[in-house]
Amino acid sequence: MRHDHLISAKQLSRGDIEGVLDRAAEIAADPGAFAEAHPDTLLGLLFFEPSTRTKMSFGAAMKRLGGGTIDMGSVDSSSVQKGESLADTVRVIEGYADALVLRHPSEGSAKLASEFVDVPVINAGDGAGQHPTQTLLDLHTIRENAGLDDLTIGIVGDLKYGRTVHSLAHALTNFGATQHFISPESLRLPRGVRYDLREAGAEVREHADIEAVVDRLDVLYVTRIQRERFPDENEYRQVAGEYRVDVDLLESAAPGLTVMHPLPRVDEIAPEVDETDHATYFEQAHNGVPVRMALLDQIL
Amino acid sequence: MTDTELRVSKIESGTVIDHIAGGQALNVLAILGIDGTSGEEVSVGMNVPSDRLGRKDIVKVEGRELSQDEVDVLSLIAPAATINIVREFEVADKRRVTRPDTVGGVLSCPNANCITTESEPVDSRFDVLEEGVRCAYCGTIVRESIASYIGTA
Ligand SMILES: [Zn+2]
């Protein structure tokens, strides 16, 4: 792949993606073979928002390649609290690390950071923007379970602010997937994402109900609808109830349907679904380590 | 000289921006960063009759020649504008408005959660699309009332 930075899924060609996924499969098959692949390499973790799994999985990936991590710590305890700009923070920390992993609450933050440093910047989530490494592990999970060719996927939930959705939808255009976007009216895909999908030749099929499409899906990708996106509790409760995935809903699904979720989930998927063969979200989360190992191995 | 041109005083040297869509003159000044504080002599004609546009605005700026980059930024709000550079009361040069690929530091991003709206050492940057403009950082697309985003946040 050899990009200097990984900012957006828009950068990734089909060949780039397959390169990472092939390497991830090799790593998953024999992790020990890569244990000394990047000794003396330090990965800088800059998480301006709380994150447990993304940060831990980057940390685990780097250590399993023989390297180490340095961590900015939480925002409260860092100099950011004192009003330092992101541009200054990354210029200081690039002197300590061989690559930077950035999570930040503002859209465009990873791109801005990449303009100020020479080490590779990996976007681990920029506000409601992009989350390309989540997409790589999502694609790995889809490839292992449903296959990436002739895929029909339904993406449901908060499509407006969901950065995992924005990245995944774009990456899937490389594989000609049939994508159905299911959300309440107020949380439909933003204009910029629609524009990119159409530019990439994809058709944007939108629905208000999961029931309308669930029977024809290979993959159902569920995302969280957050309380703070709604003016009042009642409206939120109603919408959250409508988009809840449970065993009743899945009765009309194909037996081989793969249900995914970037986690953490709250109420979007009923716990009873965990016991079905559809549930793939924990496997998906575990794929974070080999996929991030593969990515780091290619970038560093 | 036509009646229309007489309504706005002749300038000795500077720039005449003609064929601005009616009502956009103040936005043209704003996008060029001309607010009167640096002492330029500026005349503005608004909603004067025009064969081509029905009603048009004209802006004359004494003592300042617009660069091609400045002229190109006008394409966002006044694509039909014609620009004459005047020296010693004569038209010395005509500039055409062409669409630039990007505009930097002119518009502020309407997305309050965009990194460019925070105190970072960068200018805003927008890619110019077939229709509208797009923030190069957060990807927000602006198609309507672009003029209302003139100015840095
Ligand atoms: Zn922006």
Side-chain angles (χ1 to χ4, degrees):
Chain A
M1 177 160 65
R2 194 54 215 161
H3 288 294
D4 285 338
H5 308 289
L6 178 55
I7 306 303
S8 163
K10 285 198 278 175
Q11 291 170 250
L12 300 172
S13 68
R14 181 176 179 137
D16 291 335
I17 293 165
E18 288 175 337
V20 175
L21 302 194
D22 289 347
R23 177 57 58 90
E26 264 178 68
I27 291 171
D30 184 9
F34 295 82
E36 293 301 323
H38 294 275
D40 308 319
T41 301
L42 272 183
L43 187 63
L45 303 177
L46 290 81
F47 281 70
F48 290 79
E49 269 184 348
S51 154
T52 44
R53 63 210 71 225
T54 302
K55 188 163 152 178
M56 288 177 77
S57 96
F58 266 110
M62 190 69 256
K63 290 190 177 106
R64 288 191 185 280
L65 289 169
T69 60
I70 50 168
D71 187 342
M72 180 184 86
S74 74
V75 170
D76 320 332
S77 60
S78 72
S79 54
V80 178
Q81 188 74 354
K82 301 181 188 111
E84 185 175 58
S85 68
L86 175 62
D88 279 3
T89 305
V90 295
R91 275 182 288 189
V92 171
I93 297 180
E94 79 161 324
Y96 310 156
D98 301 298
L100 303 179
V101 177
L102 176 70
R103 155 128 354 147
H104 193 282
S106 298
E107 285 97 75
S109 49
K111 179 173 174 62
L112 179 138
S114 73
E115 291 175 353
F116 284 89
V117 299
D118 292 324
V119 300
V121 171
I122 300 170
N123 183 3
D126 63 326
Q130 288 269 324
H131 195 354
T133 68
Q134 175 73 41
T135 291
L136 289 169
L137 74 91
D138 292 343
L139 294 171
H140 183 71
T141 309
I142 293 171
R143 187 162 86 162
E144 305 267 294
N145 285 277
L148 283 165
D149 296 314
D150 304 317
L151 176 74
T152 300
I153 186 172
I155 302 180
V156 63
D158 184 348
L159 310 185
K160 184 174 184 184
Y161 299 100
R163 57 193 171 203
T164 63
V165 171
H166 304 161
S167 289
L168 178 62
H170 202 277
L172 284 170
T173 64
N174 286 300
F175 299 89
T178 302
Q179 303 191 62
H180 295 278
F181 297 97
I182 307 139
S183 73
E185 176 69 26
S186 62
L187 296 177
R188 288 168 62 196
L189 288 174
R191 190 188 247 177
V193 174
R194 266 162 219 287
Y195 178 88
D196 286 330
L197 292 176
R198 294 207 180 98
E199 287 282 291
E203 194 185 322
V204 179
R205 301 171 187 82
E206 297 181 286
H207 313 271
D209 303 308
I210 309 179
E211 288 81 358
V213 289
V214 70
D215 60 337
R216 69 188 93 149
L217 302 178
D218 303 310
V219 172
L220 179 62
Y221 190 94
V222 185
T223 63
R224 188 147 65 99
I225 294 178
Q226 292 177 302
R227 163 69 187 89
E228 56 268 32
R229 306 295 181 208
F230 291 87
D232 66 73
E233 184 73 22
N234 280 345
E235 201 181 325
Y236 163 69
R237 293 230 155 272
Q238 194 196 332
V239 168
E242 267 175 57
Y243 292 89
R244 182 176 161 92
V245 173
D246 57 21
V247 166
D248 277 355
L249 173 79
L250 295 179
E251 264 170 24
S252 43
L257 173 74
T258 299
V259 177
M260 296 172 63
H261 191 303
L263 303 181
R265 72 170 150 176
V266 183
D267 295 321
E268 311 80 65
I269 301 179
E272 66 203 27
V273 177
D274 301 357
E275 308 308 319
T276 70
D277 290 339
H278 300 300
T280 315
Y281 23 94
F282 295 112
E283 174 190 331
Q284 183 186 356
H286 297 160
N287 286 334
V289 176
V291 170
R292 290 188 170 107
M293 284 172 75
L295 177 71
L296 291 171
D297 185 50
Q298 295 205 347
I299 279 185
L300 290 166
Chain B
M1 172 154 316
T2 67
D3 277 359
T4 301
E5 282 174 286
L6 278 173
R7 283 178 219 251
V8 181
S9 62
K10 235 169 162 343
I11 62 172
E12 183 182 340
S13 61
T15 306
V16 178
I17 307 162
D18 199 354
H19 301 105
I20 301 164
Q24 290 292 319
L26 296 180
N27 288 329
V28 165
L29 290 172
I31 214 166
L32 295 173
I34 297 172
D35 60 5
T37 55
S38 50
E40 298 106 329
E41 202 175 297
V42 180
S43 339
V44 176
M46 293 181 83
N47 292 317
V48 297
S50 157
D51 291 342
R52 262 167 62 192
L53 300 170
R55 296 273 169 184
K56 67 172 184 180
D57 289 3
I58 306 176
V59 168
K60 301 191 180 190
V61 187
E62 181 77 53
R64 175 162 163 191
E65 294 188 7
L66 294 189
S67 68
Q68 188 63 45
D69 283 352
E70 289 176 305
V71 167
D72 288 348
V73 166
L74 292 179
S75 68
L76 301 180
I77 53 168
T82 55
I83 287 90
N84 289 335
I85 305 294
V86 176
R87 291 175 198 136
E88 292 168 359
F89 298 106
E90 300 289 336
V91 174
D93 200 0
K94 287 178 179 288
R95 303 230 158 107
R96 298 187 65 88
V97 174
T98 53
R99 289 164 68 88
D101 293 334
T102 64
V103 291
V106 174
L107 304 170
S108 59
C109 186
N111 172 12
N113 206 40
C114 175
I115 192 73
T116 63
T117 66
E118 290 164 33
S119 42
E120 295 292 337
V122 289
D123 283 334
S124 70
R125 194 164 74 248
F126 284 79
D127 297 324
V128 179
L129 309 177
E130 201 67 34
E131 201 190 326
V133 296
R134 178 173 211 187
C135 176
Y137 288 88
C138 75
T140 296
I141 292 176
V142 183
R143 293 211 175 105
E144 302 82 18
S145 18
I146 289 175
S148 62
Y149 302 107
I150 296 168
T152 45

